[in-house]
Amino acid sequence: MGMTSRAEQTTGAGLWTLEAENEAATLEIAAAQAEWLEPGDFVGLSGDLGAGKTTFARGLIRALAGARDLEAPSPTFTLMQVYDTPRGPVVHADFYRLRGIRELDNLGWDEAVADAIAIVEWPERIAEALPADRLEVEIRFDPSRGPEFRLLTLRGRGAVARRLGLALGVARLLKRAGWSGARREFLQGDASIRAYERLTRFNGATAILMISPPRRDGPILRYGRPYAAIAKLSPDIRAFVAMADGLRGLGYSTPALIAFSIEDGMALIEDFGSALIAEAGVPDGARYAEAVALLVDLHGREAPGTLPVGDEFYTLPVYDIEAMLVEVELALDWYAPGVARVTPPTGARMQFLAIWRELLAPILAQPTTWTLRDFHSPNLHWLAERQGLKRIGLIDFQDAVVGPPAYDVASLLQDARVDVPEDLEMRLAALYMRRRTVADPAFDAKGFAGAYAAMGAQRATKILGIFARLDKRDGKPEYLRHLPRVERYLARNLAHPSLSPLALWYRNHLPRALGPPPANSDR
């Protein structure tokens, strides 16, 4: 989002003021809004007569149409002009001569703007009919600043307010970093609230824009806290900044921070490219072995619990038993009713949590380390041009905690999105334990094997709940295709002798989580 305005400032929630020194700046500010507008949005243009409402509309229409020379004249006499654009229909209207909302029916307004972006000059003529969710743009002269100077006030109403603030926050960040003119390409997001874009400059240089807005508190779950707080999920981008620097300080590859804004929840970071440790969904054994080596190195270090973030400090939360229990409950709340079509009774639920508590307590009492929590193939880039452990590029660590070493090993070798063959998993797990033993003869390989099975089961149980929730609550059914893989991991982990009470509970109350029954089974 680029602009040549000399200054900008926020004057309240969802309200922004921008300065345009000339008509070109007005066109640029208008064009920038095209990047975040969606079909169904309403843009109302008001202000001084002749101040540039039609100019703003023209800049917006040209950007939406992808046609820099589109004339887009004022619809003063036709009242309404419709444009077909790659973003869908765009309706440009001028209501200056409208005498009331009844005349909207004569225009066929409701039909015209259905699933269209509506840009309306003089919207105050139909004030009582304006949608609650809208962008308001007021354009005023400021003769004291020059004859061409305009002051533009952008206000987001309703649901538009947040999107406007996000768009202008991105513009501010890119302008400060010198990336305003870069081409932006949306990248597939992850299962969280974060979104990513790849930016490309005219000279071919690229960077990644990570948009990670401050987490909104959900409903209170227990202890006066929402789920995210109990599960120790990072509330804002501060954790990413702290961990990026902290991991880099230990000699690992994390994206260089080009620019970031904690307040807006976004960062412009180094682009690691597209090579991963699993290419086309197939694990590369040598690359996975290097990722295992990184974990061996990390788990042999004394990692600090507090990290600097500018003039402040960030303290990694402890991955305690309450966090792990609230995560496994997701399977009971979402997977059981949504996928397995069962609802375990209250007594079974209490037994489930009691078994988990007894299983996890001794593991959490063992020495801990930095647990990155999302240490798996989609987040592990392969940087072939670098040396040693630096060949593993880490990109997802904002939810890092202080927790059991076995968790990240299970996360890597029991990848929810990639089939890791069992023989490869076992070889790599053995490689981890062998190298840990060489580095520390006191390392308890047998105890680690039990912890690995427990952490794998905990993670698989949590993921079953998360993927079912993504389907039912968030309308993302594509995650359901991963459930059979996660169910296989869970069944494999429950085969460990130390997990036999938990395995029995699953067989009695949630057998579907152990995998779908065979076609000829009556189970």
Side-chain angles (χ1 to χ4, degrees), residues 299-365:
H299 297 166
R301 292 172 177 261
E302 289 288 338
T306 300
L307 296 168
V309 183
D311 296 331
E312 303 176 356
F313 288 91
Y314 174 77
T315 299
L316 277 75
V318 175
Y319 205 12
D320 57 23
I321 199 163
E322 298 304 330
M324 289 198 170
L325 290 180
V326 81
E327 289 180 332
V328 297
E329 280 189 281
L330 292 174
L332 304 184
D333 295 335
W334 296 93
Y335 174 85
V339 177
R341 308 298 187 201
V342 298
T343 302
T346 301
R349 187 185 189 103
M350 295 176 63
Q351 183 186 28
F352 180 75
L353 295 177
I355 293 171
W356 273 112
R357 190 179 291 275
E358 184 175 355
L359 174 65
L360 294 172
I363 296 172
L364 297 179

Side-chain angles (χ1 to χ4, degrees), residues 183-331:
R183 177 170 56 85
R184 294 168 59 180
E185 172 193 5
F186 176 75
L187 300 176
Q188 180 64 43
D190 54 20
S192 72
I193 61 175
R194 294 179 292 276
Y196 300 88
E197 297 180 22
R198 173 170 281 117
L199 274 58
T200 305
R201 277 175 163 166
F202 68 92
N203 63 358
T206 63
I208 299 295
L209 173 64
M210 181 178 75
I211 300 174
S212 181
R215 188 181 300 276
R216 295 178 175 179
D217 283 342
I220 298 300
L221 188 62
R222 62 173 69 102
Y223 317 125
R225 295 184 294 166
Y227 172 85
I230 301 171
K232 309 299 176 66
L233 301 179
S234 61
D236 55 41
I237 204 171
R238 185 179 288 105
F240 179 89
V241 175
M243 287 302 300
D245 288 340
L247 288 164
R248 196 179 308 111
L250 294 180
Y252 310 132
S253 290
T254 60
L257 294 166
I258 301 169
F260 63 90
S261 169
I262 292 175
E263 179 182 4
D264 293 322
M266 56 189 63
L268 188 64
I269 62 178
E270 178 185 3
D271 184 3
F272 276 165
S274 57
L276 302 172
I277 65 169
E279 294 284 23
V282 179
D284 183 306
R287 297 178 184 182
Y288 267 70
E290 201 64 32
V292 167
L294 189 152
L295 290 179
V296 170
D297 184 77
L298 174 62
H299 297 166
R301 292 172 177 261
E302 289 288 338
T306 300
L307 296 168
V309 183
D311 296 331
E312 303 176 356
F313 288 91
Y314 174 77
T315 299
L316 277 75
V318 175
Y319 205 12
D320 57 23
I321 199 163
E322 298 304 330
M324 289 198 170
L325 290 180
V326 81
E327 289 180 332
V328 297
E329 280 189 281
L330 292 174

Side-chain angles (χ1 to χ4, degrees), residues 120-153:
V120 176
E121 300 181 38
W122 302 99
E124 55 268 32
R125 301 293 194 190
I126 57 159
E128 63 271 37
L130 293 177
D133 301 327
R134 62 185 187 271
L135 170 64
E136 296 178 348
V137 181
E138 184 182 44
I139 307 175
R140 298 290 183 188
F141 290 112
D142 189 347
S144 66
R145 310 283 288 277
E148 295 295 321
F149 189 90
R150 305 290 191 273
L151 196 64
L152 286 75
T153 301

Side-chain angles (χ1 to χ4, degrees), residues 7 19 42 68 116 136 157 239 245-246 280 297 309 358 387 390 453:
E19 299 176 349
F42 182 98
R68 295 175 59 89
E136 296 178 348
R157 298 284 189 182
D245 288 340
D297 184 77
V309 183
E358 184 175 355
Q387 300 296 317
K390 288 183 179 292

Side-chain angles (χ1 to χ4, degrees), residues 5 15 31 37 69 127 194 207 224 229 273 293 313 350 385 387 391 460-461 501:
S5 54
L15 178 64
L37 289 176
D69 298 324
R194 294 179 292 276
F313 288 91
M350 295 176 63
E385 73 283 0
Q387 300 296 317
R391 289 179 293 180
T461 302

Side-chain angles (χ1 to χ4, degrees), residues 16-40:
W16 295 76
T17 299
L18 303 119
E19 299 176 349
E21 298 173 339
N22 49 42
E23 181 177 289
T26 300
L27 289 168
E28 187 177 356
I29 293 171
Q33 311 318 309
E35 296 180 0
W36 63 272
L37 289 176
E38 302 172 353

Side-chain angles (χ1 to χ4, degrees), residues 424-440:
L424 177 61
E425 176 192 354
M426 293 299 99
R427 288 202 309 272
L428 292 172
L431 174 64
Y432 174 90
M433 290 187 285
R434 186 165 61 251
R435 291 191 176 183
R436 283 296 307 275
T437 302
V438 170
D440 179 10

